[in-house]
Structures are given as C-alpha cells and as structure tokens.
Amino acid sequence: MGKKKLGKYAAAKELANIIAPNVIDHQTSEFEATWDPHFFGNSNPVTLELGCGKGEFTVTLARKYPQRNFIGVDIKSDRMLMGARKATEEGLDNLCFVRLRIECLAAYFPENMFSEGFITFPDPHASSTNGKRRLTSGRFLALYKQVFVPGSRLHLKTDSTILYDYSRESIGEHAFNLITATDNLYGAPGEFGEITDIQTTYEKRYLSRSKTIKYILFSL
Ligand SMILES: C[S@@+](CC[C@H](N)C(=O)[O-])C[C@H]1O[C@@H](n2cnc3c(N)ncnc32)[C@H](O)[C@@H]1O
C-alpha cells in the first residue's frame, strides 16, 4: 500500500464518525463488536448508502434531514475520509461511515435497522457470467431483506446498461416491487428530486463522458 493511502487509513482511525469494525473470523463474518444501537442517541429512521465511496449522498442528505440518521458503508475507508471530514467540519452528528464489506451487512447490523437505501454506481461486474457479485443479485437482495424494514425503498443509479437490465430482471425474479425505472434519468420526463440533485464522484465522471445515467427505484 502506498504512503499516501496509509496516511489516509491512519487519519480515518482518528475520526469518530468512521467506524472500522474488527472482524474476528472472516469465514463466519464474526465481529469483535456489532453495531452499537445507541450510537446516534435517538431512534430516528436510518438511511443506508451502499458502496458510498466519498459519501456524497450520505453527507448531503444528512445536512438536509437532521431528523434522520445516515450511514455510508464502503470497504475503503480512505475514500470515506472525505465525507467524514466534511461532516466533522459541519458538525453533522446524524451520520457515520462504516468500513464494511456489504456481504457482512446482516452480520454487523441488526434486523430492520434501515428504512431507505442508495446504491450509487456500483461495479457492474460486466464480464460476470452469472452476476452473483452484482449488488442487485439474489444473494444481496436477500441480505437487504434482513437489515431493511419491510417496504423500504432502495434507489439504484448506474451508467451500466448490463447492470440496469440485470437489476430489473433480478428485482422481478425475487418478487421485489419495481416502483420506477428509467434508462435515461436526465432525459426522462418527470421530477426525480434528490436523485438528480446529488451527483457522486463517479456520476460526475460518467456524465463528463456523455454517458447516460440509469435509475431504478424498488421496494423490499
Ligand atoms: C464505483 S465506486 C462508486 C462510489 C460512489 N458510490 C460513487 O458513486 O462515487 C464503488 C464503491 O463500492 C465499494 N465497494 C465495492 N464492492 C464493495 C463491497 N463488497 N463492500 C463494500 N464496498 C464495496 C468500492 O470500494 C467503491 O468505493
């Protein structure tokens, strides 16, 4: 690992709003300590951003909705550092970032913890033959069912036609409810609100390359 990245990991450890749970057993996803239910000190609803990168959604929404809590999850704490620093500077205490593999969601968080989710520009795993690693595959949808309150809404944004088509199919196949979908978010009629107002690092990159952004809203 490069010096710069090591420095970022060290800095992440210093911030109270980045949690890096210790895994005791990688095979069983056993953690030294699981999620502390008293972390936010209130029982406000919690929104989860999956694969949050620099945490643009998490920080923007936390700023906008002080009566809700927000958690961004990513495996790379050096990326989350940017969002965590911004939140600290602004004194936002209704958010945190957790360094966690999404595969371990249900081992770390309790059942029915989240009431809304954002999956923003996940790796499409375009060459995958069965799509098992995609964040909308049956395996991941089953995990979401454990940690989200029934009926929760999940938003997926992607530039990938492969992931978009796959996700629509997977959502239907696993009996989740497709609320809306468009293969051209910024060319679609109608008002999509927040989902178009907040653009992540990856989204900005894809838009600058004239890529078309796709969007799916579904419920569990
Ligand atoms: C393409 S980036 C998108 C980041 C951000 N959502 C954005 O739109 O700018 C995908 C992110 O997902 C994270 N990621 C990929 N697989 C993951 C996994 N299994 N568990 C946790 N994070 C994961 C990566 O570390 C990366 O930050």
Side-chain angles (χ1 to χ4, degrees), residues 138-149:
R139 161 169 96 109
F140 284 100
L141 291 176
L143 272 180
Y144 306 154
K145 221 173 184 170
Q146 291 183 62
V147 296
F148 282 90
V149 174

Side-chain angles (χ1 to χ4, degrees), residues 35-51:
W35 170 255
D36 172 8
H38 305 294
F39 181 86
F40 289 118
N42 59 53
S43 55
N44 294 342
V46 188
T47 295
L48 176 67
E49 186 184 1
L50 293 151

Side-chain angles (χ1 to χ4, degrees), residues 49 51-53 56 73-76 79 100-103 120-123 200-203:
E49 186 184 1
C52 64
E56 287 94 342
V73 162
D74 202 292
I75 196 58
K76 297 191 173 157
R79 291 194 176 163
L100 190 75
R101 283 172 60 77
I102 294 164
E103 288 82 345
T120 50
F121 298 89
D123 188 332
T200 64
T201 302
Y202 275 79
E203 177 163 9

Side-chain angles (χ1 to χ4, degrees), residues 76-148:
K76 297 191 173 157
S77 56
D78 57 322
R79 291 194 176 163
M80 299 188 285
L81 191 59
M82 189 174 274
R85 277 183 171 151
K86 193 170 268 183
T88 305
E89 279 162 23
E90 294 185 26
L92 297 174
D93 58 3
N94 60 333
L95 71 73
C96 74
F97 293 95
V98 181
R99 180 173 182 255
L100 190 75
R101 283 172 60 77
I102 294 164
E103 288 82 345
C104 302
L105 271 185
Y108 183 72
F109 292 110
E111 279 184 9
N112 298 334
M113 158 111 188
F114 303 103
S115 58
E116 188 177 27
F118 291 88
I119 312 172
T120 50
F121 298 89
D123 188 332
H125 295 289
S127 57
S128 167
T129 45
N130 56 17
K132 253 171 70 180
R133 294 174 67 200
R134 295 182 185 137
L135 292 185
T136 46
S137 66
R139 161 169 96 109
F140 284 100
L141 291 176
L143 272 180
Y144 306 154
K145 221 173 184 170
Q146 291 183 62
V147 296
F148 282 90

